[in-house]
Amino acid sequence: MERVKVFEVLQGIFQDVLDNDDLVITDQSSALEIEEWDSLAQIQLVVAIEKKFNIKFNAQEILSWKNVGEMVDCILQK
Amino acid sequence: MYTYSEIKKILKKDTNSLPALNVALLGDTATQFLATGIKGMGIEKGFHINLYEADYNQIEAQIIDDTSDLYKFDPGYVIIFQSSHKLLSKYNELQSEEERCGLADSRIDFIKNICSKVTCRIIYYNYPEIDDRIFGNYSNHVKSSFIYQIRKLNFDLMNLTESIPHLFVCDLSSVQNKFGRNMAFSPSIYTTTEMVLSLDIIPYIASQTVDIITAAQGKLKKCLILDLDNTLWGGVIGDDGIENIQLGEGIGIGKAYTEFQYWIKKLKNRGIILAVCSKNDEEIAKEPFEKHPDMVLRMEDISLFVANWNNKADNIRYIQSILNIGFDSMVFLDDNPFERNLVRDNLPEVVVPELPEDPAEYLEYLYGLNLFETVSYSIQDVERTKQYQEEAKRTLSQKEYVNVDDYLNSLQMQSEVKAFDKFTIPRVAQLSQRSNQFNLRTVRYTDSELIQMKDNPDFISFVFTLDDKFGNNGIIGVIILEQKDRETFFVNTWFMSCRVLKRGMENFMLNTIVKYAKLHGFEKITSEYIPTVKNKMVENLYLELGFSALEDSDNHFILPLDNYVPLKTHIEEKNGYSI
């Protein structure tokens, strides 16, 4: 799947999980700058992404992401 | 079941009108998702739950300290969730064999202490099994193994409820058994957070928790209302006869119905009232209960037996009026989606499970719903069926129909009308062999006889399908007209599947043949009813449809066509009739 397509899907998941339809994410978006993105949201994001793409992340991957761009890279490697 | 994100949406509903309950949640792991789940399922079951969520791992501190936030909150229920993982961590640190053998006992002592401090109702989560496989299967022999201790703990917890009436066990172990550990637990999430429950299992556990609260608040299911054909046995008793319904042990689908009946019998023995609500002639419907050797349920198990041709919503209203219990305490089981939707639309408080299509799946599906939660059990419960049976006898009376026009309209029914062709003939032959109740002359036809009729210009055939917004019923009715002279058609054959009774299909069928007859210059239609043991249901059909009885015979009828006013129907013709 192309990067841009993955990004588009993630955009929807972020809006849905963080319950904010105005949210626009970029490669640089991180938990530091997006207020709703706390540790609980992180789990819901992981589960939603795993289901959507039918993949599984390992614990190290989940802990390693610093921003959305790194999440996308990780998805593309699966 | 709802997903976690659906539960989050439920939380946005306005809950001001719902009764409020103070519930505290104390856990030794992170419980935020569980808290959301419990609040959401609470709304779903009709409660506004004010949830006090203690800080992480504060169980002892909150309970021991009389001035803690927990007691200030004044909860009606305290939920305590001590996880198997934390128990395992504790076990891992134990030094001696003796300590390991005493793990369950020491936890039970702790729970006893909690129960002596907390006076409101306590909902205590039991322990989903983790088997560390240190001894392999031999763990079953080793008292100091973790799996031995966790099972002992769950067992002792059951025994503990005997002496502590305000302790209720919420069976997480059972939930994990049903859905599997791989679904209930997510190792990567556990490692990165302090959550031991997966997002997928949260709705089920929240639901079980709220089930206990709901039952303790007095909202109980008391009555199970049962359809018969293809619900309690396979096949249609009125058509197939008592010898041919599917029931009984051995291979084949009969076993599924037998085991299903045993489950229902156990509910009845526990004090759930059973009622029958079936579209059938009463005598025919009762026959299996009285005579079939493999029936588990018998007439004495049924408090109220309602078999007639009224619509089921009316019949359930009738059952309600006799038993005098709330609609919200009733569960209705029926294999037919049409009946289920009719009841749901008319009586939204009645719980109507969406039974799987395959009867082999009935039990596992129903196990998952946990419909009959209770917080007490006594020997008096068992007497209940008899009391209701007596009450029912006193008040037996015939019930009026309600007008179901609105409902029928909402179904958006469509029927396609065709003549015999090579595609329709096999199904028509099958229906001709099997239709007994709605069958005016009960003349059986084979495929080859039908092919001959197709090629004979004296016979005009009409094959009817019926679709509605819930699905397609396929070919469900057939009329064969026989030309007697230039003016007269005779209804040689008219039969219909009982699946589509009470939908006004008869009116639509008559309208269709009258239209055809008039178009081709005929002036009258004659007909005959030949009584059989099973077709009493249609003995007055022709009179009800506006035919007149011929003077010289009870069972011959005539309908002049010039003044015919099309009968009311909620069914639209699909694709137009082409012969």
Side-chain angles (χ1 to χ4, degrees), chain B residues 542-578:
Chain B
Y542 284 121
L543 293 176
E544 287 162 3
L545 291 174
F547 283 69
S548 318
L550 286 182
E551 280 175 17
D552 55 346
S553 159
D554 280 340
N555 293 326
H556 285 84
F557 307 88
I558 184 164
L559 181 73
L561 300 184
D562 46 0
N563 293 323
Y564 181 81
V565 181
L567 299 169
K568 186 167 78 172
T569 174
H570 298 281
I571 301 164
E572 267 184 29
E573 193 174 308
K574 191 170 151 188
N575 300 337
Y577 177 61
S578 52

Side-chain angles (χ1 to χ4, degrees), chain B residues 23-27 31-32 34-36 38 51-55 70 77-81 125:
Chain B
V23 177
L25 173 60
L26 308 181
T31 52
Q32 291 96 322
L34 182 61
T36 301
I38 289 169
L51 196 84
Y52 167 74
E53 204 184 342
D55 286 339
L70 171 68
Y77 297 84
V78 173
I79 301 164
I80 296 173
F81 176 24
Y125 286 5

Side-chain angles (χ1 to χ4, degrees), chain B residues 159-218:
Chain B
N159 286 331
L160 192 60
T161 62
E162 270 181 58
S163 56
I164 307 177
H166 65 296
L167 172 65
F168 298 91
V169 174
C170 181
D171 206 336
L172 255 60
S173 174
S174 172
V175 176
Q176 179 174 293
N177 284 345
K178 172 93 179 137
F179 296 101
R181 182 152 185 79
N182 291 344
M183 188 275 217
F185 174 69
S186 169
S188 65
I189 287 180
Y190 171 66
T191 306
T192 52
T193 66
E194 271 293 321
M195 303 254 180
V196 292
L197 300 175
S198 74
L199 272 187
D200 289 339
I201 203 72
I202 289 279
Y204 292 94
I205 296 194
S207 173
Q208 297 281 314
T209 309
V210 177
D211 281 346
I212 296 176
I213 295 175
T214 307
Q217 292 299 115

Side-chain angles (χ1 to χ4, degrees), chain A residues 16-17 19 40 43-44 47 51 57 59 62-63, chain B residues 4 8 12 32-33 188-189 192-193 195 199-200:
Chain A
D16 189 42
V17 169
D19 207 8
L40 292 182
I43 298 166
Q44 295 174 69
V47 172
K51 284 207 169 128
F57 297 117
I62 295 168
L63 293 169
Chain B
Y4 183 76
K8 280 200 334 195
K12 290 178 185 161
Q32 291 96 322
F33 287 141
S188 65
I189 287 180
T192 52
T193 66
M195 303 254 180
L199 272 187
D200 289 339

Side-chain angles (χ1 to χ4, degrees), chain B residues 38 218 354 461:
Chain B
I38 289 169
E354 193 65 11
S461 59

